[in-house]
Amino acid sequence: MAKKQLVRVKVNGRERQAEVEPRLLHVGCDTSHCGACTVVLNGKTVKSCTMFAPQADGCELMTVEGLIQNGNLHPLQEGFKQEHGLQCGFCTPGMLMSSYVLLQKNKKPTEEDIRWGISGNLCRCTGYQNIVKAVQYAAAKTEGGAK
């Protein structure tokens, strides 16, 4: 067994540290194609199943739980609820995190921008149209507009 390594990371604004096995991956879909494990690492989306924990040492990590602020849903979460952007929920965390980064970079994305922004995430239920509508809802709400 390999020697454990101390990793320090800020997760959803809170400092965390743990000793971890440096060569261990958290395998989900086993291919990294689904995108359900997408998180934001230092402002960029990454599929957490492809990362070793030591790669996040000293970094800032945001998970889907970090979207809620002061007990309020993020506009993206509201959008997924209002526009029926989820069904089974498997893809939802990854879709939310990919959409979050998209809206950080592009406050007024086109439908094409949104489809490109979520293209690393697979949804088997919705056909994507309501996910696109959910992101448009959030974009409108964060721009001060009402939908």
Side-chain angles (χ1 to χ4, degrees):
M1 188 164 183
K3 181 181 175 191
K4 291 198 174 193
Q5 182 175 342
L6 181 64
V7 173
R8 292 181 179 94
V9 63
K10 187 181 274 190
V11 180
N12 298 329
R14 294 181 60 193
E15 296 287 342
R16 303 285 185 161
Q17 70 177 32
E19 287 191 3
V20 299
E21 158 63 55
R23 299 174 297 163
L24 186 65
L25 285 174
H26 174 73
V27 179
C29 67
D30 205 26
T31 62
S32 79
H33 289 117
C34 74
C37 68
T38 302
V39 296
V40 179
L41 184 71
N42 291 341
K44 295 182 180 179
T45 57
V46 297
K47 294 178 181 178
S48 63
C49 72
T50 64
M51 286 189 60
F52 294 109
Q55 290 175 285
D57 191 30
C59 294
E60 190 163 333
L61 178 73
M62 183 177 180
T63 68
V64 70
E65 292 83 4
L67 289 174
I68 292 180
Q69 297 296 313
N70 301 318
N72 297 314
L73 293 178
H74 186 278
L76 279 165
Q77 293 167 309
E78 286 181 26
F80 270 68
K81 180 180 175 186
Q82 294 297 324
E83 299 294 337
H84 308 287
L86 61 100
Q87 286 182 21
C88 80
F90 182 80
C91 71
T92 304
M95 290 289 186
L96 286 167
M97 300 315 292
S98 293
S99 299
Y100 174 81
V101 169
L102 170 68
L103 292 180
Q104 295 300 301
K105 295 177 181 177
N106 183 349
K107 302 292 184 198
K108 295 182 180 180
T110 63
E111 180 176 338
E112 184 179 346
D113 294 333
I114 294 168
R115 289 184 181 278
W116 179 252
I118 63 172
S119 66
N121 303 80
L122 297 179
C123 176
R124 296 181 180 133
C125 302
T126 68
Y128 299 95
Q129 189 55 42
N130 288 348
I131 294 170
V132 171
K133 288 180 183 178
V135 178
Q136 290 170 329
Y137 173 101
K141 185 157 188 173
T142 57
E143 278 293 304
K147 182 157 186 195

